[in-house]
């Protein structure tokens, strides 16, 4: 039986059970949103963090993640490129900052980080982003303790490594790297003193039970990940999941609200798939706990709402966000 509201709200917990999570996920929507809102108002202000994403190394990845256009197993037509130069990445970070982004997230289509020239450049990028006064996040696959410690010394704010789905459903999606590998990577990041950014994707063909199971793993991490990206599948042509059925916006709202209840203080990031959500659905996500978005016209290989339309939306919603931007003369596509 689901616990009373007071029990749910009384403290931050790290012992959530799958059964109770599933009950929360399946609550009448109107009650679920109310519960999530109370928690959100209690633990957080209505401020949305704007995080811009940039693909520093695109395509040619050896992993077989079946949703991903950057995997060598996909036939997606994307613009592959080797690692970009440090200056080009920092120029882009500056533009993102001028547009109001507080965090700059850099992505590498790698299975794991390898020592050498590319890693040294990654460290320079992290330092450069921090020198701009922004938070820096990297997502580049698995890493060693030594690499994590070097990233921490360079000033890295957060490392993104998603679990993607439940332990049970995982092998239907990825076979080249185990769930345990992912958990160990996250532990290394945590041990190095870097904030953990870890979430997943809905729309992979998983059940509600799998969603509860993913949330169980995340919410039993102590401390909770500082950021929890909730992506909905962008079904990209050429990937193994290109024909997956689109998920309904209410499923996204349920996932966000449940994540907010389980992890009251984490940044719950309404991530990939926002282009498919109506303005109203996004507003409901903010209302029940989403307090971060990917901000900028591009994700990694797919598009995202424009800076302008997001600023308009956030102003309409009345949540606070970093308004300290100068609209850049330069367009991002000119880079
Ligand atoms: N290669 C690194 C890794 O896998 O950790 C970093 C980049 S990878 C693209 C980061 C995350 O983006 C994935 O773990 C997945 O959760 C998300 N992602 C990738 N493609 C996606 C898609 N088509 N739809 C939704 N989320 C996606
Ligand atoms: C995350 O959870 N979502 C972002 C980021 N972390 C790296 C990536 C979304 C990728 C969407 C598909 C694409 O653009 O290729
Ligand atoms: Fe590679 Fe990351 Fe894409 Fe998986 S999600 S194929 S690890 S880039």
């Amino acid at each position: 039986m689901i616990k009373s509201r007071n029990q749910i709200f009384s403290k931050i917990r790290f012992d959530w059970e799958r059964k109770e999570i599933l009950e929360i996920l399946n609550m009448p929507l109107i009650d679920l949103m109310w519960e999530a809102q109370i928690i959100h108002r209690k633990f957080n202000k209505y401020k949305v963090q704007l995080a811009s994403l940039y693909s520093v190394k695109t395509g040619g990845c050896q992993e077989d993640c079946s949703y991903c256009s950057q995997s060598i197993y996909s036939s997606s037509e994307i613009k592959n490129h080797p690692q970009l130069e440090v200056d080009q990445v920092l120029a882009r970070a500056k533009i993102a900052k001028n547009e109001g982004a507080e965090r700059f997230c850099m992505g590498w289509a790698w299975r794991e980080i390898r020592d050498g020239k590319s890693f040294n450049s990654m460290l320079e990028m992290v330092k450069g982003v921090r020198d701009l006064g922004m938070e820096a996040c990297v997502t580049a696959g698995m890493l060693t303790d030594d690499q994590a410690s070097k990233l921490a010394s360079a000033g890295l704010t957060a490392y993104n490594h998603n679990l993607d789905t439940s332990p049970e459903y995982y092998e239907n999606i990825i076979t080249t790297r185990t769930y345990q590998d992912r958990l160990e990577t996250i532990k290394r990041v945590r041990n190095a003193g870097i904030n953990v950014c870890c979430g997943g994707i809905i729309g992979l063909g998983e059940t509600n039970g799998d969603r509860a199971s993913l949330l169980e793993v995340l919410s039993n991490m102590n401390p909770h990940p500082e950021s929890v990206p909730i992506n909905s599948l962008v079904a990209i042509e050429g990937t193994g999941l290109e024909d997956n059925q689109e998920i309904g916006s209410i499923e996204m709202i349920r996932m966000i609200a449940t994540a907010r209840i389980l992890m009251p203080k984490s940044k719950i990031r309404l991530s990939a798939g926002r282009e498919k959500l109506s303005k109203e659905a996004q507003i409901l996500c903010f209302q029940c706990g989403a307090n971060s978005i990917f901000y900028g016209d591009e994700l990694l290989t797919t598009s995202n709402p424009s800076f302008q339309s997001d600023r308009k939306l956030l102003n309409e919603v009345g949540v606070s966000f970093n308004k300290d931007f100068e609209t850049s003369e330069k367009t991002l596509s000119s880079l």
Side-chain angles (χ1 to χ4, degrees):
M1 188 57 200
I2 193 161
K3 293 192 171 85
S4 76
R5 193 177 288 171
N6 276 344
Q7 279 171 293
I8 292 179
F9 292 173
S10 57
K11 60 179 170 70
I12 296 184
R13 289 175 49 192
F14 303 96
D15 61 352
W16 290 98
E17 288 173 18
R18 188 171 320 187
K19 188 167 168 286
E20 57 183 338
I21 297 173
L22 194 55
E23 283 178 23
I24 296 172
L25 204 50
N26 289 333
M27 269 163 86
L29 185 64
I30 207 78
D31 296 332
L32 173 60
M33 287 181 47
W34 175 244
E35 302 267 4
Q37 254 188 92
I38 293 175
I39 299 243
H40 193 38
R41 281 184 183 265
K42 177 172 166 181
F43 287 96
N44 309 293
K45 297 193 179 120
Y46 271 90
K47 176 173 190 296
V48 173
Q49 186 189 47
L50 307 177
S52 286
L53 190 52
Y54 196 35
S55 187
V56 176
K57 191 268 175 184
T58 306
C61 181
Q62 297 142 24
E63 299 281 353
D64 70 352
C65 311
S66 51
Y67 49 76
C68 186
S69 55
Q70 302 196 65
S71 161
I72 51 171
Y73 299 91
S74 92
S75 59
S76 306
E77 286 178 20
I78 57 166
K79 289 187 210 143
N80 285 11
H81 61 75
Q83 177 164 318
L84 301 175
E85 297 296 327
V86 176
D87 287 351
Q88 188 176 352
V89 173
L90 295 181
R92 175 76 170 225
K94 217 174 220 168
I95 291 177
K97 180 184 159 131
N98 289 343
E99 296 285 357
E102 291 159 68
R103 173 176 285 203
F104 193 65
C105 308
M106 297 168 274
W108 275 258
W110 284 346
R111 170 180 164 73
E112 76 246 309
I113 298 181
R114 296 203 189 129
D115 289 330
K117 199 167 161 275
S118 300
F119 180 51
N120 294 339
S121 299
M122 179 191 284
L123 296 173
E124 277 185 57
M125 291 172 200
V126 170
K127 284 187 197 136
V129 170
R130 299 295 284 142
D131 287 344
L132 288 172
M134 303 175 87
E135 293 186 3
C137 180
V138 162
T139 182
M142 297 183 281
L143 42 55
T144 63
D145 288 324
D146 182 57
Q147 289 159 348
S149 133
K150 288 189 171 128
L151 282 165
S153 302
L156 186 70
T157 314
Y159 194 87
N160 166 248
H161 198 65
N162 290 340
L163 288 171
D164 287 346
T165 189
S166 67
E168 300 77 23
Y169 194 64
Y170 184 83
E171 62 183 28
N172 296 301
I173 303 300
I174 300 136
T175 65
T176 50
R177 149 164 84 194
T178 66
Y179 212 76
Q180 192 54 34
D181 289 333
R182 295 207 181 224
L183 292 170
E184 281 164 21
T185 299
I186 294 157
K187 206 182 238 172
R188 288 200 180 98
V189 170
R190 176 62 76 207
N191 289 343
I194 300 168
N195 284 349
V196 170
C197 173
C198 182
I201 313 178
I202 59 172
L204 300 174
E206 75 288 344
T207 62
N208 247 4
D210 289 309
R211 291 178 193 169
S213 175
L214 165 66
L215 289 171
E216 182 189 18
V217 180
L218 293 170
S219 64
N220 279 274
M221 290 180 184
N222 188 357
H224 292 150
E226 282 75 13
S227 312
V228 181
I230 306 290
N231 297 276
S232 75
L233 175 72
V234 183
I236 306 172
E237 222 182 296
T239 64
L241 301 184
E242 63 180 358
D243 294 326
N244 271 32
Q245 213 187 331
E246 210 176 287
I247 59 132
S249 55
I250 290 179
E251 295 180 70
M252 190 58 160
I253 296 164
R254 285 189 178 280
M255 195 69 185
I256 298 264
T258 307
R260 171 53 65 221
I261 292 170
L262 305 179
M263 295 169 279
K265 285 189 173 172
S266 302
K267 291 241 155 53
I268 306 294
R269 183 171 303 127
L270 175 57
S271 302
R274 263 193 322 116
E275 276 194 326
K276 289 275 166 76
L277 290 182
S278 69
K279 187 167 97 173
E280 290 75 14
Q282 291 186 64
I283 292 173
L284 291 178
C285 289
F286 294 129
Q287 190 174 25
C288 64
N291 58 352
S292 176
I293 54 170
F294 282 123
Y295 174 67
D297 311 14
E298 284 170 4
L299 292 168
L300 294 173
T301 67
T302 63
S303 58
N304 194 45
S306 69
F307 288 118
Q308 293 83 353
S309 65
D310 276 341
R311 279 200 294 263
K312 186 166 178 284
L313 172 68
L314 295 171
N315 275 323
E316 265 182 321
V317 180
V319 289
S320 69
F321 62 100
N322 184 16
K323 294 192 179 149
D324 183 22
F325 63 88
E326 318 151 11
T327 304
S328 177
E329 291 286 293
K330 255 189 195 168
T331 62
L332 290 168
S333 54
S334 73
L335 272 178

